[in-house]
Amino acid sequence: MDTSAEPEQPRNDAIASGPPIRQLFRAVIADRLPSPMPPQAAMLFDAEVDPSWDDQGFLGDFYNEILHQGTCRPATAGGLTLLAALAVDDRIPARHRFRVVGLLFSAATVAERHLAEAWPATPPHADPDSEARARSAVQAHVPDLLTRWSAECPAVRLALAGLAVVFPTDRTLPALTQRLQTFLHQHPQGTDIGDYVRFVLVLAAQDDDQTLTVTEKLTDAYWTGTVRGVPTRARALHLLGQMLSKVGAALAQPHAMQ
């Protein structure tokens, strides 16, 4: 019998390797997205796997491939469809759904947050066209994300609330106040979650004067401030992004996401 050539390993076996979170993400994306997939999906489906990857190493590389060092590139908008698919699948643990919704928030607000940081200069690595496409890509997925509110855990609801005020509508803003009442009762002002929820409700009121007043009050007390000449929305989203990150850090333990 000729044994000079080993049979080729089936592709499905080859790509089943890697850390568990990669395998889970791959299964969800394979089920939910048709071909052709965005280029970032190669990190899920390629047969070659970085041998140094554990779950956290893979996640860092995967997310950075989509939103590269917090900036948008021409391929970013396509990659956001991967995050949106992961965010609406219950097979993905809640702590990871929280993170991908947070990344969708970050992608949708890159232009404003970076403007607030760099003002009055042009933000470094700015790419207005890619940023606009990323924002539109996130906006297209927001209705599906928000329809999951009643089924989501409290932690993911906090991230969804941030997205809701980035893309306000006459339907979602009135509902937001009612939906956040439980958080208001459970988390007093002066706590990370309590301040975040109250600031979301300020933004939902769409009163620029009130937004500016509360933004300055909170940044003076707790957060990295921005120049007063920055447009109010940019300052507010810069602050909201910081607050959401801190809420995420506080909820980082798996038991906090149940």
Side-chain angles (χ1 to χ4, degrees):
M1 181 173 61
D2 182 8
T3 59
S4 60
E6 293 294 332
E8 183 177 346
Q9 183 182 29
R11 179 168 173 78
N12 286 344
D13 291 343
I15 60 179
S17 58
I21 195 65
R22 177 184 186 260
Q23 297 177 47
L24 176 59
F25 278 21
R26 180 175 63 84
V28 170
I29 296 303
D31 287 347
R32 286 189 169 270
L33 291 187
S35 296
M37 294 188 183
Q40 298 92 336
M43 290 189 67
L44 302 174
F45 291 93
D46 277 359
E48 294 186 7
V49 176
D50 187 331
S52 69
W53 275 342
D54 57 10
D55 275 1
Q56 289 307 309
F58 166 75
L59 289 172
D61 288 350
F62 179 65
Y63 294 146
N64 189 59
E65 189 71 12
I66 296 172
L67 190 62
H68 181 64
Q69 297 181 0
T71 64
C72 292
R73 300 183 295 183
T76 297
L80 295 173
T81 62
L82 300 172
L83 299 184
L86 296 170
V88 297
D89 197 295
D90 289 326
R91 288 172 289 179
I92 302 299
R95 64 186 182 278
H96 295 302
R97 296 200 308 276
F98 177 92
R99 188 170 182 187
V100 295
V101 174
L103 284 167
L104 290 170
F105 171 92
S106 295
T109 59
V110 163
E112 289 127 324
R113 291 183 297 102
H114 288 185
L115 175 67
E117 293 171 357
W119 185 273
T122 299
H125 312 298
D127 184 341
D129 289 342
S130 295
E131 290 160 1
R133 287 196 296 272
R135 178 181 171 83
S136 295
V138 177
Q139 186 172 16
H141 292 292
V142 167
D144 287 341
L145 291 166
L146 291 180
T147 60
R148 286 180 51 85
W149 183 280
S150 61
E152 275 295 1
C153 69
V156 178
R157 290 179 184 180
L158 291 171
L160 291 174
L163 270 184
V165 293
V166 172
F167 300 105
T169 70
D170 291 340
R171 180 179 179 181
T172 58
L173 291 187
L176 198 58
T177 301
Q178 180 178 357
R179 287 175 166 180
L180 293 176
Q181 286 303 312
T182 300
F183 291 103
L184 290 174
H185 295 321
Q186 294 178 350
H187 301 279
Q189 190 168 351
T191 62
D192 292 337
I193 293 176
D195 284 350
Y196 171 81
V197 169
R198 286 164 176 81
F199 190 49
V200 165
L201 291 175
V202 168
L203 297 182
Q206 297 188 296
D207 182 322
D208 282 351
D209 290 339
Q210 184 186 21
T211 296
L212 180 59
T213 297
V214 176
T215 298
E216 293 195 339
K217 180 179 179 180
L218 286 170
T219 51
D220 286 346
Y222 303 111
W223 308 95
T224 301
T226 47
V227 178
R228 281 184 164 80
V230 176
T232 297
R233 177 178 169 84
R235 293 187 72 190
L237 292 179
H238 180 264
L239 171 59
L240 190 65
Q242 293 181 73
M243 298 177 83
L244 181 58
S245 294
K246 193 168 184 181
V247 167
L251 296 171
Q253 296 303 317
H255 70 272
M257 293 287 187
Q258 301 306 314

